[in-house]
Amino acid sequence: MDVSKFKLCRLLLIVGSFCHLIRFSVSDPGSGCPKIRSASLMNFTYQFSMAQHQLRGVINVIDDCSFKVSQFDMLEGSDVRWWGAVGPHLENLTKGFVISELKLNKTYKSDGFVVKLMKNVTWDDINVLAVWDLPMASDFGHVVLRNLTNGTEFLAPLPSSVNGTVIKGNGMPTMFNNCKVLADNYRVRWTLNEEEDVVEIGLEAAIGFLTYMAFGWANPNASSSFMIGGDVTVTGFKEDLSPFADDYFITKYSECMISKDGRVEGVCPDTIYEGSDPVGLVNNTRLVYGHRRDGVSFIRFRRPLKSIDTKYDLALNQKATMRVIWALGLIKPPDSLRPFYLPQNHGGSYGHLTLNISEHVDDCLGPLDAEDKQDQDLVIADKKEPLVVSTGPAVYYPNPPNPSKVLYINKKEAPLLRVERGVPVKFSIQAGHDVAFYITSDPLGGNATLRNISETIYFGGPEAQGVQASPTELTWAPDRNTPDLVYYQSLYAKKMGWKVQVVDAGLPDMYNNSVVLDDQQVTFFWTLAENSISIAARGEKKSGYLAIGFGRGMVNSYAYVGWVDDTGKGKVSTYWIDGTDASSIHPTNENLTHVRCKLENGIVTMEFTRPLRPSCEDDKPECKNIVDPTTPLKVIWAMGAQWSDDHLSVRNMHSVTSSRPIRVLLMRGSAEAEEDLRPVLAVHGFMMFLAWGILLPGGILAARYLKHVKGDGWFQIHVYLQYSGLAIVFLGFLFAVAELRGLSFSSLHVKFGMLAIVLCIAQPVNAYLRPKKPVAGEEVSSKRRLWEYIHVIVGRGAIVVGVAALITGMKHLGERYDDEDVHRLMWALILWFLVGALTVMYLEYRERKRRRDRISGRSNWVLGSGEEEDIDLLSPSQAMAEKDSRSSDRMEVQLEPISR
């Protein structure tokens, strides 16, 4: 190569590099578009990944500066633009740029149009094409045109087919060849894949997350009752919002029931009929993808045209017209008795039609638009309970794109937070030192001033940070100048939080007291009046109904159930429950006033006022439902998917309930957990019964009624029993103090118990100070006689106080634990002491009779010798005998009757 050619090539290279830096390239004559220097994008059709606003559609790159959009659906946004970015992640998308002058500020319904790129934009700048909402930095949907890994370019994977055209997506396929409207809010989409001998089906409906979507084929031999013998797929979402799709077979118009003999009938999974499905021979439905967006459920699954399960699956003839069946209804999650998702009655949302899956059908115009688009959790602030702010992984963040770590409030991921003006809100900030919590007017957070955007900070800042071991507690009181909508965010990172709704005062201000019930799923509010109580209950979890009950458990409780019926009317009904099945729920006619119930964002709130003492006086159950403000009110709760006031059945049973009652102290405005009877306290009670009910009374009876037996056996029995009883009393006392972690004199039981222990301790001290016993013939000293009086009175008084401590202890346990066993033990204890009293009366009668017989037989005495321990110094007969002895001035001798 000569020097002139070398210089020319070098000049061309320099010019080419310079043109690349100024984003200029050679254009085709008349096109006005820069050419694409990277791999061609014009050989593929790309499918949008739906993120929000029900966006779906496909695009084709037409040329170097335009692309075609077809089958485009989208709900209206605020300021929505075509957006380009180098990658699909948060840091890439938020740094993206507008690529077209065309604005998308309307609702699109299966539209098609061509989009022109801006003059300074080329396809080389765009790896990800998105539909972007500018104010909220929100991704409605996007396509990945190419990925870059280690500088190497490759096209996005996961091809599928729409109308015979190979498309590219990113694992969230929402496009199908066909679509059929089943109901106003329910559609079925499908694509027949004859090569793989399967049909891919997509079900979408604007429904709540507790609602199932069912679709399948009717029994071809049925002329009516098309559901019976139907082969359907039941789809829905679990509590963690993960999708499921399972094969069901219908044998009866009822919920799936398993009889005692193992017979299965109703709407049941195929696997239940066979008992198990270890290798997938019965459940042939395969879940592909599912999501919930904007209050709309979408689930994609595939099923074979000809299944190996010929017993419960119907063969599909793709060329024939077959009858299909569908239904919508509430679904109950698995439990210990039925470990599968249980479709409830569809409530009229069902139907059937004929369909040929090989024919092209498209009568779905535009996206589904749900009335309630808010699907994330709702947290309502309470002036008493602090809101715990922490961080966790982003799983269902409501505003994509999102960072990997977002803010949690009360263990809920980025919930909608509702506060009330004038009500102080306490935050316990435990999100880490790298997260500074604040409430701002900016929907993105991350310190808007760094983006040259002004913001108003209403609360928080750099000091609002802490960890679980050392949280920071701060209080915010929204005022009348706080806007209706603000945002909680992190000062150091964007898009970690979500919305704060500021409303006028509500339940916390309307009621004087509130407590959180067991498991922190229900908040209980109340206000006491002279003769009535106003009550409100609010669920903290989405459900179809909320029930609270007064009682220690579901059985033998008075229940109040709040729900919203099909017409949108809120209701509160009352019941008496005396069993564990639906037939044990008996409606009552309580006098409730100011009744309100509402369902908002899946959260049930009910309110009512009732008298403290019902006005009725007959034998109706509600007449006994008395609320005594001075006695702790035991409150339980339950939630479920559906309630019906007309036909109570198993579908009304709860799906989640409290694990134990909460003792609400109405006068104090506080609550404490109802606990099971602690084993150590049970041991304490048994030891005290053994001491005060058997050993100590036995020692006294030995000293009273066994002195006539020769020898000092009575004295040994008396001493051993008393000291054994005293030792057990001390052990029982230590057990109780250790278990309760201290000693409190607030209860009557403790007062009686401590007095009994003091009297019990006084007896061995008294015995140690006992005056010397007089010898035979010696007169009893006044000290000895006084000691006898004190010893007997203190001993018998200790027994009386100890028995009172036992009875008050049983009463205290009965009030605290409300256990039937405790009440039975109380009556057993009373019966024991009644028997003991009768026994003492009988022994006293025998003792007095023996003494009368001895006095009447004096003429038969003979000279004898013995100890005086069998003489009761406090006995009136003994006092008279001593008086006669002194008056006759005779020598005192021990005589025995001749009859011995």
Side-chain angles (χ1 to χ4, degrees), residues 288-301:
V288 177
Y289 172 73
H291 69 224
R292 276 189 61 81
R293 303 279 191 269
D294 315 299
V296 176
S297 294
F298 172 82
I299 292 181
R300 182 172 185 144
F301 62 91

Side-chain angles (χ1 to χ4, degrees), residues 297-357:
S297 294
F298 172 82
I299 292 181
R300 182 172 185 144
F301 62 91
R302 60 167 51 191
R303 59 157 293 168
L305 298 178
K306 294 181 181 179
S307 172
I308 58 176
D309 174 20
T310 59
K311 189 174 181 181
Y312 302 109
D313 286 353
L314 298 175
L316 304 185
N317 185 348
Q318 65 267 37
K319 302 300 182 181
T321 298
M322 302 181 68
R323 188 172 298 277
V324 296
I325 52 179
W326 61 270
L328 296 173
L330 295 174
I331 195 162
K332 183 179 178 181
D335 54 36
S336 58
L337 296 179
R338 288 175 288 187
F340 49 86
Y341 281 88
L342 181 67
Q344 308 286 288
N345 190 297
H346 45 63
S349 297
Y350 70 99
H352 60 86
L353 66 148
T354 57
L355 193 67
N356 189 327
I357 59 175

Side-chain angles (χ1 to χ4, degrees), residues 21 94 115 135 180 195 215 316 321 489 535 662 681 702 773 805 890:
L21 291 176
T94 55
V115 180
K180 182 74 176 176
E195 294 181 359
F215 179 84
L316 304 185
T321 298
Q489 294 288 356
I535 293 174
I662 293 294
L681 294 183
K773 179 181 66 176
R890 292 182 300 166

Side-chain angles (χ1 to χ4, degrees), residues 527-676:
T527 296
L528 282 172
E530 183 177 358
N531 297 313
S532 65
I533 180 172
S534 297
I535 293 174
R538 182 183 66 213
E540 303 298 339
K541 185 176 184 178
K542 294 181 179 180
S543 64
Y545 72 84
L546 170 64
I548 59 170
F550 297 163
R552 195 170 186 270
M554 182 179 70
V555 180
N556 297 328
S557 68
Y558 298 94
Y560 301 84
V561 182
W563 82 102
V564 176
D565 63 15
D566 295 336
T567 65
K569 182 180 179 181
K571 294 185 176 181
V572 176
S573 293
T574 62
Y575 303 89
W576 162 249
I577 304 176
D578 59 4
T580 57
D581 55 8
S583 62
S584 302
I585 305 175
H586 310 289
T588 59
N589 294 313
E590 289 197 35
N591 182 23
L592 302 185
T593 58
H594 301 94
V595 175
R596 288 183 293 272
C597 183
K598 63 180 179 180
L599 179 65
E600 188 176 12
N601 198 35
I603 300 299
V604 178
T605 302
M606 65 173 171
E607 301 176 69
F608 59 89
T609 299
R610 53 149 292 173
L612 294 175
R613 182 178 294 272
S615 56
C616 57
E617 297 180 356
D618 52 21
D619 294 332
K620 293 181 180 179
E622 58 265 31
C623 300
K624 301 177 182 178
N625 187 12
I626 300 173
V627 176
D628 182 3
T630 63
T631 302
L633 181 65
K634 300 175 181 65
V635 184
I636 55 177
W637 61 265
M639 297 183 197
Q642 181 183 23
W643 192 263
S644 172
D645 207 10
D646 300 327
H647 305 288
L648 297 177
S649 65
V650 69
R651 68 172 177 268
N652 300 120
M653 305 303 284
H654 54 70
S655 58
V656 60
T657 182
S658 54
S659 57
R660 60 181 177 179
I662 293 294
R663 301 171 73 247
V664 178
L665 308 177
L666 298 175
M667 300 290 288
R668 298 183 185 177
S670 61
E672 59 186 21
E674 178 80 2
E675 299 176 349
D676 294 331

